[in-house]
Structure formats: structure tokens, C-alpha cells
Amino acid sequence: MQEQYQPSAIEPAAQAKWEEARLFNVSEDASKPKYYCLSMFPYPSGKLHMGHVRNYTIGDVLSRFKLLNGFNVLQPMGWDAFGMPAENAAMKNNVAPAAWTYDNIEYMKTQLKSLGFAIDWQREIATCKPDYYRWEQWLFTKLFEKGIVYRKNGTVNWDPVDQTVLANEQVIDGRGWRSGALVEKREIPMYYFKITDYAEELLNDLDKLENWPEQVKTMQRNWIGKSRGMTIRFAVDETSKAGLNGDAAQFVQVYTTRPDTVFGACAVAVAAEHPLATAAAEGNAELQAFIAECKAGSVAEADMATMEKKGLPTGRFVINPLNGDKLEVWIANYVLWGYGDGAVMVVPAHDERDFAFALKYDLPITQVVDLDNRPSEYDKTQWQDWYAEKEHTKLINSGEFDGLSVQTAYDAMAEKLQASGAGEPKTQYRLRDWGISRQRYWGCPIPIVHCEQCGDVPVPADQLPVVLPENVVPDGMGSPLAKMPEFYETACPCCGKPAKRETDTMDTFMESSWYQFRYMSPKFSDGMVNPEATQYWGAVDQYIGGIEHAILHLLYARFFTKLMRDEGLVKVDEPFERLLTQGMVVCETYYRENDKGGKDWINPADVGLSFDEKGRPVSAVLKADGLPVVISGTEKMSKSKNNGVDPQALIDAYGADTARLFMMFAAPPEQSLEWSDSGVEGAHRFLRRLWRTVYEYLQQGGAVAAFSGNQDGLSKELKDLRHKLHRTIAKVSDDYSRRQQFNTAIAAVMELLNQFDKTDTAGEQGRAVAQEVLETAVRLLWPIVPHICETLWSSLRPSENLWNIGWPTVDEAALVKSEIEIMVQVNGKLRGKITVAADASKADLEAAALATDGAARFMEGKAAKKIIVVPGRLVNIVV
Ligand code: ANZ
Ligand code: ZN
């Protein structure tokens, strides 16, 4: 064994050893329990960042722990390879997105390999490869035939200068990111997944996910947004029917969660797209201009909530079905065309948006719900949520319904509305169908052929995949595919006549919605997944990734699982049994003010710090010029604050194990982890110390014989050490499995080694216990710092592989402390201590306590009236 700990030498050697043993290559094996551990796959952006290293280390620790516990562990890795950054890089560097992506994959793969993750690399997938996306296209065509995928018009951001559709993130302050042109809204045909058909199941099944963070489930529930209410129809007044046809001429239908407030309606407001708005705007320039303004605005929900409420009256009227009031119809910018019926009844006293609207346009505010037993003065300048006091409210100003409780009134009004055909109960979801068409090049082609005669024809299975040409450099002016006749010219699969391929590609969320199943049989060529493999692996046992994916990615992956189940492809209802959302990696930020008064952010690697006596940074300088920089707050590592620390530099300087240990030790996985140089150095110091401890032990000759298993003859000190050892095993096992808190596991092993250092392990028995302690410490730490542990193990026990020995078990005998310390009290005051056998009887304890000096002194010759024994803790002598 080398005297020095040299990560650069031992890490590749350990990796070669695992590779040679094919330790991480798995197949279905009915003789073992399975454990499928999946970390969210990376986008191949160029190089790994700290978030990746953290994510994949957590997954690796869990995988290796399960491996030592006898599980058949599947830990795959791949590349979420389609997406916009590749197109942006292509434009910047004039290289094809495919070439850029493949280069990045290659480099990042060497980085991942250098970290020593227990990955089955034979299962690597890249979603931009035809043998992957082919099956996505296949499923798409199946679902298209079933009607789960359908086509309708959708609104997109259109850049009139670049003549291209922009993604939401490419619109900055309403302008195109490249051209700076004012962005317009355009309606174009797109493909949609009917996720709303699954809304109820997606909501209900959240209750089954016991091992998901509550926070994530809440976010999903809110996103699905189930609301219960009624549709109510307000008849169009006879004077107001001009230009309206069909139902639109009969009534305006609104969706409300508060039918009980219908007497408080002062108007009805419709979205700009509503037929009544269109009819009213006929020949009315003002209304036309307002409708255009509403349509141009952002559809982002956050903006809807905060924007100024605006509206215009249409001069048309409808009738309140319960009280016959004649209400004017307004067009309002806060009514969404895509939600409910695109129309609302305006109830200013009880809805905050309506309140703002009514104040602005001076509409009457009628309170219809009041507190039960407290007379209240309605403050007409300030909106108040009376409904929050649901329990103690009653109706007022509501005719025959006055005095009823909210719930009774709700039911009574619902019944009356239903009886007269003016409304019915309705459940509504906030969730919209998922539009998956993207007018981009670097994505999975949508497998549809447009034929003049046959319409939209899905590409038949035997003609899949529709391959995306890879030698293309986009120029930012529209989709390149739409300019490539060699791509889009084709024959109709139905009638054989010339037809045109769809040139849109799919949302990249598609690829990440089913990769968890493809990993089970990544090379299967007879179908999307191999039934035997999906049967064996079932669902992912442990999924790990960032909280930023709490909503969309997880929702789509859950949705796809249900789609695939309904196609008979998988047997599970949910893809991820247990979810761990890792916290962010954060770092101090530094800047200098520039001439323009802005901030130039400086990378932490270029900053030198000085500390006060408590180790807190007090000042910072730029290493290059020695002049001060401003220390700003701690924030998530990001390009914009230039506070990203490159994990490669860390790996190069200290090795993979230090990087892994630092990540696992600095914070529990769910919390944010603060980058610190001193933390990294501390991690490295610990590993050097571990190395030296084993080295010195072996220098002194190691053990003569293994520990016999019988500790009767051991000294008290050695018994205590074994006690500590086996308590540590129990604690670390629990930390890895149930608690998933690795920092405390590491701390426990550190404590064990401290006690080991202080214990005299000379002599045959001492050497035997020392061997047991060191071997066990190495096994306990193997999941976290596998390279050093692998190497130390092979010096400690060259004859056997660590992974064959498996996880250490607790020796219950060692947990029983042979001797314990008991306090002796006289009249409740501490007067001494006794050391007794752990299983000493009550009589022995009493006798030993009475025999102490303390007892003799403080009993002052009196006899004991009573002796109270608290086993394991104290003896109290009462005199
Ligand atoms: C009258 C009312 C009175 C309402 C009241 C609320 C409180 P959730 O819970 O999110 O489903 N609404 C309905 N359709 C809308 C649309 N297309 N655009 C904007 N707002 C719309 O919200 C349902 C409530 O949002 C409905 O209930 C309606 O306002 C409004 F004291 O009707 B309510
Ligand atoms: Zn045809």
C-alpha cells in the first residue's frame, strides 16, 4: 500500500476494476430483488455543472448502498439531447446542432466516468437518435388514431422580422430576442395531447405517492387545479341579438364557483374572443381596437393576475336567471378565452378581480354574503373576503334566499337554476391540453403527412422513423425543415399521391416523459419497450432531480405512464415510487461596479478572501489585481451572476472522492448546498486521514487473526469500541435507507474513527477489533467515496471483493453495553457514581449505591427510609 493518498492514481484503477468485473451491468434476474435508481438525465450543454454532480452523487450513493445490500441495481444514464441551446450554439458557431450535441455528450460522458458512478453504460441513450425517437413517433401515431392526439389552432409568438415563431423565453419585454421586433400573436395549427382526459386520475393518484415530498404533490395539485362550480346561462336580451347566431343568440354562459352570489352580479364580462364581443365590435372602432389590444397582450398567467383590469361596455344586455336583472355585457381583459366558458358574472363584493374592475368603472357593488351574527358595514373602498368565513356567513340582498347559509343557498340556487334549465353543476380543471408542436429544427419530427385528399395521415409504423436530417445549420429565420423539399416532399401513405410532411417538431418534454421505461430495454428493436423487461423492472424505485421539474416534467412523465399503460406497454400506474428533490448549489457572489453604474460579476474562483477569527469572510479582492471587490449575497450558481464553480477544477485538484464527499457532507440532499473552498479542503483532509489511519495500521502488521465474534474476553475499552462500531452500522444503515441523510452518516463514521484513534488496539485482540473497525468503516463509506474505499479494502483484505461481502450487519451482542455508569443520589442530590454490570439486579444496585463514599457521607449515619432505583440511570437513597 502506498504511503500517500493519491486520488489521480487510485481512482482510475478502482474504476477499471469495477469495469472488469462488469459490476454495474445488469439484466433481469429473478433471484434478486430489483432496485431501479434514476437520476434526471442531463441536457448535454457542454460540461457538467455542480447541480449535476450533486444529483448524480446522491443517486450513486443510494445505488451502491442497495448493491451492497444484495439488490439487482439498475442505474442508467443518458442524454436529453434535443432542445434550443443546440440551435443557438449552431447559429453562433456555425456548426450543426447534431455535431455540437454529440461532441458535448462525449465530453460530459468522460466527466461522468471520472466521477466513478455505478452506471450501466450499456444502456446509454441519446434522445436525438432515431432508434430512440422512433418509438415516440410510433406512440404518437397510435394516440393520434385513438383521438388522444388531435390538431387544433394554437396561439404562438410570431417575430415579423425574422419570420419565425419564438418560444416564450425568446420574447423579452414583448420583443424578439434577436430582431428586437415587436412580437405578434398568431394562430397556427398545432398538435395537442388530451392530458385533460387524465386530469382526474393524475390528481387522484397523487394520493398513492406516499414517498413523494408533500410540496411537490401540492404543486401538481395546484397545476391540475380542479374546481367545482356551475355553468349559468344568462339569456340574451331581445334588444341585443344583432349579429349573433345559434346558442350565442340565446344566452351568454358563464362558469362560476360561486353560484350563491348570483344576486350580487352587476354585469357579465366576456373575453375578447367571445362571439358576443365580435358581434358587438361590428362597425365599432373603439371596441375593435380594444379587442385587438386584449389579444396582443401576454397570455402568461402571472401577468394576468397582476395586470390592470380593463374593459369596455358593449351596449348589449343579458338577463340574470334568478332575479331577472338586466345586466350589461362588458369585454374585459382579465377574462380568459381558454378557461371555463370565456365569460364571467361580475360579482364585485365577493371577487377581488371583479372588485377592482367595478371600482374602476363605477359599477354597483352589492354585498350578498354577510357575517352570521355580527352586523357589518361593507367597506366599499376595500375588498374583503367574506367567504373566508364560510362557517359563519349568511345570504343578504338575495330575495327568497336571504338568511340561508352559504352552503344551503348554494344548493338551493343550484337546484332552482337546474330546474329552469339555466345551469348545471360543472367540474373544471385549470390544466389545459398539452400543445406539443414546436416550429423548431432540433427536435423529434412529428410523424404526420398532409395530403390534400386524405387530410392528416399518420406515418405507418413500417415507415418510421421519420428521420431528422442532421447536417443542418439553422439561421434563425424560420424552421429549416420547412425550407427543405428533400425532407418534406413525400407520398401520401394512404393514396400514394404527392403530399407534404409536417415540418414541426415535438416539445422536448416528450422525450423525457418515457425514458424511464426505455432504459429497461434500450436496444429493443421490436417495440417501444420489451414487455419482459418492463415486467421485471416495474416502476423506478427512486427518482432524483431538481425541484424545478416538480410540475411539468413529472406531470408529463406520469401522464405518459398512464398512456403507455392504456396501450398495454407497461403495467404500472405511476412511474416513480419515491422522489427526492435535491436542493440547489449556491455560492457567494462578487462584483465591481463599472463605469455605467452597472455590476460586473466576478467568478468566485478569481476572488481571494480574508477571514475574521470566526472564519467569516470579511474582505475580498480580485486575485489578478489585488484590489477589492464587493461581497454580495449567496445565490444559486448561474451564468447571470457569474458564480458558477466548475466541478472539473475540483475533480482535477482533489479527485472525484473529495468532490463526492464534499457534496454529501455539506448539507442534507434536500437543502441548498453552499459552495465553500474550506469545505472542500476539509473533505480532502478527512480522506487523507482515513488513508493514513489504514496505512499506519497495516504498517504495524495488521491483524493476526480475524475477530472471533465472541467479545467476552475483551477489555472494556475494546468492548466500547465495538459498541460504537455497531451503533454506527445501525445509524448509517438507517441514514442511507430510511432517512436519506448522508451528512449524518458521514459524521457518524468520523466519530467512530475518532474513538478508534483514542483506543489502544495493541495486542492480538486489539488488532482483531481494529481490523473489524477499519474494514467496516471502509464498507460504510464505499457508497459515498468508492475509490478510496475500494483501494483501502483491497489492502485490508486482498482475498475478497468488498461488494461480495456486502453490507455490514449489526452484532446485537456488541450493542449491549457490558458495564454502565449509574448515578447515586441522596435525597435527590447527586452524591456519586457507580460502574456496574449492565444486567445488575436491583438488589446489587442498592448494595453498590449504599457502599459508595458519597452515600456514607451524606446519609450521615441515618438508615435509608426508601431506595428508588431507575434501571440504567440512577439510585436515589431517601433518608
Ligand atoms: C362569480 C364569482 C363570485 C366568482 C365570487 C368567484 C368569486 P377557479 O376557482 O380558478 O376555477 N372565472 C370563470 N371563468 C373565467 C375566465 N374565463 N377568465 C377569468 N375568470 C374566470 O375560478 C373560478 C372563478 O373564476 C369563477 O367564479 C369566475 O368568477 C372566474 F364571489 O364567478 B367566479
Ligand atoms: Zn392521400
Side-chain angles (χ1 to χ4, degrees):
M1 181 182 172
Q2 294 283 321
E3 183 175 353
Q4 297 302 324
Y5 168 47
Q6 279 181 322
S8 59
I10 64 159
E11 292 185 353
Q15 288 160 17
K17 186 174 169 189
W18 300 324
E19 180 132 9
E20 201 187 318
R22 304 170 63 79
L23 187 56
F24 311 128
N25 296 344
V26 281
S27 51
E28 295 93 78
D29 176 353
S31 71
K32 284 185 182 175
K34 64 97 189 179
Y35 184 74
Y36 180 6
C37 182
L38 182 63
S39 292
M40 291 180 184
F41 62 170
Y43 177 76
S45 55
K47 54 185 186 181
L48 292 184
H49 57 64
M50 285 291 177
H52 292 131
V53 177
R54 188 177 195 198
N55 195 154
Y56 303 142
T57 304
I58 295 168
D60 200 49
V61 172
L62 294 167
S63 295
R64 285 174 178 267
F65 171 71
K66 288 288 182 181
L67 190 147
L68 291 190
N69 278 281
F71 284 79
N72 191 27
V73 176
L74 168 56
Q75 186 179 222
M77 184 52 73
W79 310 95
D80 191 10
F82 277 136
M84 229 161 44
E87 291 190 41
N88 296 342
M91 285 183 260
K92 205 166 140 202
N93 312 319
N94 196 36
V95 10
W100 182 85
T101 304
Y102 293 132
D103 277 355
N104 290 348
I105 287 179
E106 206 174 311
Y107 178 69
M108 290 170 76
K109 188 172 170 183
T110 59
Q111 286 192 301
L112 285 174
K113 287 202 155 183
S114 78
L115 281 157
F117 296 133
I119 289 167
D120 183 355
W121 282 106
Q122 292 181 339
R123 293 173 184 260
E124 178 181 2
I125 54 181
T127 57
C128 62
K129 294 266 182 69
D131 64 355
Y132 182 81
Y133 64 67
R134 152 182 200 178
W135 299 109
E136 192 167 303
Q137 293 177 335
W138 172 83
L139 183 67
F140 181 98
T141 60
K142 290 273 154 253
L143 296 171
F144 184 79
E145 282 155 9
K146 256 187 166 177
I148 300 227
V149 172
Y150 66 96
R151 195 173 94 149
K152 75 167 185 199
N153 277 354
T155 316
V156 294
N157 307 303
W158 176 254
D159 183 324
V161 170
D162 275 357
Q163 294 283 303
T164 193
V165 174
L166 299 177
N168 283 339
E169 57 272 25
Q170 292 175 314
V171 182
I172 294 152
D173 296 332
R175 291 173 184 274
W177 66 304
R178 269 162 53 89
S179 67
L182 269 182
V183 168
E184 299 165 4
K185 296 245 173 293
R186 270 214 180 173
E187 294 262 309
I188 59 167
M190 302 211 277
Y191 290 91
Y192 286 84
F193 271 64
K194 240 189 221 168
I195 191 171
T196 49
D197 272 9
Y198 286 79
E200 188 70 21
E201 196 191 348
L202 286 166
L203 182 68
N204 291 339
D205 282 0
L206 287 171
D207 297 336
K208 292 188 195 162
L209 301 174
E210 282 169 26
N211 294 307
W212 277 39
E214 217 34 68
Q215 178 204 9
V216 173
K217 289 192 275 187
T218 303
M219 285 159 87
Q220 296 242 328
R221 279 189 195 104
N222 292 342
W223 187 261
I224 296 167
K226 182 173 183 170
S227 100
R228 286 186 198 79
M230 286 190 77
T231 42
I232 301 182
R233 284 177 287 279
F234 289 69
V236 176
D237 189 69
E238 285 307 323
T239 60
S240 299
K241 298 198 170 179
L244 291 167
N245 306 306
D247 281 353
Q250 300 309 310
F251 49 77
V252 173
Q253 181 165 300
V254 307
Y255 173 69
T256 175
T257 48
R258 298 291 312 280
D260 53 297
T261 64
V262 66
F263 282 77
C266 65
V268 163
V270 299
E273 293 84 350
H274 196 280
L276 195 141
T278 315
E282 190 65 37
N284 182 330
E286 197 191 359
L287 281 179
Q288 278 167 16
F290 181 63
I291 289 173
E293 183 191 327
C294 291
K295 285 186 181 170
S298 163
V299 290
E301 238 165 277
D303 299 338
M304 292 302 267
T306 53
M307 75 187 174
E308 190 192 348
K309 314 275 176 290
K310 279 191 196 165
L312 275 184
T314 61
R316 310 241 181 165
F317 291 86
V318 292
I319 310 296
N320 186 328
L322 279 194
N323 63 6
D325 274 4
K326 207 164 147 181
L327 303 174
E328 184 157 22
V329 180
W330 289 59
I331 305 174
N333 66 349
Y334 68 98
V335 182
L336 300 169
W337 182 230
Y339 190 70
D341 295 291
V344 304
M345 59 179 195
V346 180
V347 185
H350 303 288
D351 179 280
E352 199 164 9
R353 293 160 301 180
D354 294 345
F355 180 75
F357 190 72
L359 270 197
K360 176 156 178 184
Y361 296 107
D362 207 16
L363 298 172
I365 298 174
T366 310
Q367 182 190 0
V368 291
V369 176
D370 197 4
L371 292 180
D372 219 354
N373 39 25
R374 179 150 52 99
S376 62
E377 189 74 22
Y378 194 86
D379 179 354
K380 294 209 169 168
T381 62
Q382 207 183 338
W383 185 71
Q384 298 204 29
D385 190 2
W386 297 105
Y387 197 54
E389 289 245 15
K390 220 171 187 165
E391 307 277 290
H392 305 286
T393 43
K394 65 171 192 295
L395 263 69
I396 57 170
N397 300 326
S398 297
E400 62 189 279
F401 304 95
D402 277 359
L404 296 182
S405 75
V406 165
Q407 192 53 56
T408 320
Y410 186 117
D411 296 341
M413 289 186 187
E415 199 175 310
K416 191 159 180 198
L417 285 165
Q418 247 174 304
S420 65
E424 54 275 320
K426 174 147 183 217
T427 302
Q428 178 74 40
Y429 297 90
R430 219 184 61 108
L431 185 67
R432 313 279 78 193
D433 277 345
W434 176 18
I436 58 97
S437 294
R438 296 291 178 274
Q439 297 67 37
R440 315 228 66 85
Y441 157 68
W442 189 234
C444 169
I446 293 178
I448 293 280
V449 171
H450 302 288
C451 170
E452 268 181 24
Q453 269 168 39
C454 316
D456 289 4
V457 182
V459 177
D462 60 2
Q463 290 173 33
L464 292 175
V466 177
V467 176
L468 182 74
E470 291 197 344
N471 55 346
V472 174
V473 182
D475 57 9
M477 310 281 283
S479 164
L481 295 180
K483 291 180 266 184
M484 293 174 68
E486 65 275 31
F487 175 79
Y488 63 71
E489 281 179 356
T490 186
C492 169
C494 253
C495 68
K497 297 225 177 79
K500 191 167 180 268
R501 270 189 206 292
E502 172 65 51
T503 57
D504 282 355
T505 56
M506 297 186 199
D507 182 355
T508 57
F509 270 123
M510 290 279 290
E511 286 85 55
S512 53
S513 294
W514 66 283
Y515 76 127
Q516 68 274 14
F517 295 120
R518 185 67 185 171
Y519 276 137
M520 296 172 181
S521 49
K523 302 205 170 82
F524 193 59
S525 55
D526 293 336
M528 194 167 186
V529 288
N530 180 343
E532 280 159 37
T534 50
Q535 173 75 35
Y536 178 79
W537 293 108
V540 173
D541 295 281
Q542 176 72 60
Y543 197 36
I544 305 139
I547 189 79
E548 67 274 20
H549 294 298
I551 300 179
L552 291 181
H553 161 60
L554 290 174
L555 189 69
Y556 294 147
R558 297 180 58 223
F559 172 47
F560 254 66
T561 302
K562 294 172 195 301
L563 292 175
M564 289 174 72
R565 176 202 61 197
D566 291 349
E567 282 295 317
L569 295 163
V570 301
K571 295 223 158 57
V572 295
D573 293 325
E574 286 287 333
F576 312 121
E577 280 288 324
R578 185 170 182 175
L579 175 69
L580 191 159
T581 48
Q582 112 233 20
M584 297 181 299
V585 183
V586 300
C587 186
E588 202 87 64
T589 55
Y590 306 96
Y591 70 87
R592 265 185 192 163
E593 231 155 84
N594 57 31
D595 309 342
K596 298 183 202 100
K599 287 171 180 169
D600 290 335
W601 296 96
I602 299 165
N603 192 273
D606 302 326
V607 172
L609 291 173
S610 45
F611 301 92
D612 65 12
E613 66 280 7
K614 287 200 177 119
R616 287 175 304 216
V618 280
S619 66
V621 295
L622 185 65
K623 283 180 189 161
D625 59 16
L627 297 172
V629 298
V630 182
I631 307 181
S632 197
T634 307
E635 288 188 56
K636 179 180 176 162
M637 286 191 178
S638 74
K639 285 213 178 80
S640 62
K641 294 277 163 74
N642 191 16
N643 65 337
V645 179
D646 185 358
Q648 197 55 49
L650 165 62
I651 301 165
D652 292 343
Y654 295 99
D657 282 342
T658 295
R660 296 172 59 121
L661 180 64
F662 166 68
M663 292 270 159
M664 295 304 98
F665 188 53
E670 251 134 4
Q671 283 170 30
S672 51
L673 180 152
E674 186 166 351
W675 172 263
S676 97
D677 287 324
S678 60
V680 171
E681 281 152 24
H684 194 61
R685 254 196 322 275
F686 172 72
L687 294 180
R688 282 211 312 264
R689 177 176 154 214
L690 176 66
W691 183 275
R692 201 178 52 242
T693 306
V694 173
Y695 176 79
E696 282 170 2
Y697 164 74
L698 290 174
Q699 278 304 102
Q700 289 153 19
V704 183
F707 177 64
S708 67
N710 180 349
Q711 59 173 22
D712 288 351
L714 295 187
S715 68
K716 174 173 182 306
E717 225 192 341
L718 287 177
K719 277 186 189 161
D720 283 349
L721 182 57
R722 285 201 85 235
H723 178 80
K724 178 79 179 173
L725 171 65
H726 287 273
R727 273 196 20 205
T728 306
I729 296 173
K731 158 108 184 107
V732 171
S733 306
D734 188 47
D735 282 350
Y736 278 139
S737 52
R738 184 182 61 86
R739 298 183 64 229
Q740 299 191 330
Q741 306 279 292
F742 314 120
N743 55 332
T744 51
I746 298 164
V749 179
M750 288 175 168
E751 267 183 45
L752 170 66
L753 290 172
N754 284 342
Q755 184 159 338
F756 173 80
D757 277 350
K758 287 188 214 128
T759 306
D760 178 6
T761 53
E764 196 169 314
Q765 283 187 327
R767 309 304 292 166
V769 173
Q771 179 82 20
E772 188 193 12
V773 169
L774 293 178
E775 278 187 3
T776 307
V778 159
R779 286 153 83 193
L780 294 178
L781 290 177
W782 189 78
I784 294 173
V785 283
H787 306 91
I788 186 172
C789 291
E790 188 68 54
T791 315
L792 294 175
W793 174 268
S794 57
S795 296
L796 283 164
R797 199 166 347 160
S799 59
E800 257 167 310
N801 277 325
L802 183 150
W803 61 82
N804 285 335
I805 305 266
W807 192 246
T809 45
V810 176
D811 177 0
E812 296 294 336
L815 289 187
V816 182
K817 269 211 156 177
S818 54
E819 287 185 329
I820 49 175
E821 213 165 59
I822 299 262
M823 285 180 290
V824 178
Q825 298 179 337
V826 177
N827 289 340
K829 289 215 176 81
L830 181 64
R831 297 303 187 198
K833 282 178 189 164
I834 46 174
T835 303
V836 294
D839 54 359
S841 70
K842 206 172 160 206
D844 289 347
L845 286 174
E846 288 182 15
L850 288 168
T852 55
D853 292 346
R857 270 226 336 267
F858 291 95
M859 286 170 75
E860 293 167 345
K862 291 177 222 149
K865 280 194 203 130
K866 192 159 84 175
I867 303 181
I868 302 158
V869 176
V870 183
R873 288 200 33 220
L874 63 84
V875 179
N876 184 14
I877 304 164
V878 184
V879 292

